[in-house]
Amino acid sequence: MANFLIVEARFYDHLNDLLLDGARSAIEAAGHTHETITVPGALEVPGAIALAADSGQYSAFVALGVVIRGETYHFEIVAGESARGLMALSMDGLAIGNGILTTEDEAQALTRARKTEKDKGGEAAKAAIAMLELKGRFG
Ligand SMILES: Nc1c(NC[C@H](O)[C@H](O)[C@H](O)CO)[nH]c(=O)[nH]c1=O
Ligand SMILES: CC(=O)[C@@H](O)COP(=O)(O)O
């Protein structure tokens, strides 16, 4: 059994609740435990994971959040840089699943956040589980 840290960027409460439900269900179904911390937005998620990883308390990480396009270029920054930060941490050996939604509108986000539909929270948790298993194999 491993302890997972879920790091959620709580920008849209109702969407985050759906993502959390999916991620927690997937982690528990695999027989693992989890804790959750909350940061303001997706740009803070990679840094929070880096800080938590240094504590040695967690075997794997799940990043959750929702980035919905607005009027400016900021969407590209938030979506792209949060993903880039998570990829860098993954390439550095952390077992991470990325469940930060990047959508054009709320309807797209709802479909992807719901466990009964595209379940991107559960998908991210399953990716973290898979990467943890790889760490065990190659670590
Ligand atoms: N617009 C969204 C943001 N923006 C906030 C940034 O993520 C960050 O918290 C801020 O720039 C301070 O550093 N975050 C989301 O998660 N989702 C959005 O739609
Ligand atoms: C993804 C974003 O940063 C977005 O929510 C911000 O909206 P805007 O580009 O209209 O400031």
Side-chain angles (χ1 to χ4, degrees):
M1 180 174 71
N3 192 30
F4 283 58
L5 181 67
I6 300 170
V7 180
E8 62 149 6
R10 186 156 280 264
F11 214 77
Y12 301 94
D13 283 337
H14 64 302
L15 295 169
N16 273 61
D17 290 342
L18 293 169
L19 287 168
L20 277 172
D21 183 30
R24 288 167 172 167
S25 294
I27 293 169
E28 292 164 7
H32 299 301
T33 60
H34 55 78
E35 299 174 32
T36 301
I37 63 170
T38 300
V39 296
L43 286 181
E44 284 72 48
V45 173
I49 289 175
L51 290 170
D54 287 345
S55 75
Q57 298 175 50
Y58 308 101
S59 301
F61 304 87
V62 182
L64 299 178
V66 181
V67 186
I68 299 177
R69 188 181 296 278
E71 298 173 351
T72 70
Y73 186 74
H74 199 226
F75 172 87
E76 276 71 17
I77 295 298
V78 176
E81 289 302 296
S82 59
R84 189 178 64 80
L86 293 174
M87 191 59 68
L89 291 168
S90 176
M91 300 291 285
D92 204 30
L94 295 185
I96 299 176
N98 184 356
I100 298 177
L101 305 181
T102 54
T103 68
E104 297 300 322
D105 55 43
E106 182 178 353
Q108 289 182 349
L110 270 171
T111 300
R112 286 151 182 82
R114 289 185 179 119
K115 187 167 65 173
T116 55
E117 294 188 58
K118 291 181 182 284
D119 191 23
K120 292 303 183 182
E123 187 176 285
K126 291 172 185 174
I129 292 164
M131 293 305 286
L132 181 59
E133 289 168 358
L134 277 182
K135 278 192 78 169
R137 177 177 172 186
F138 299 126

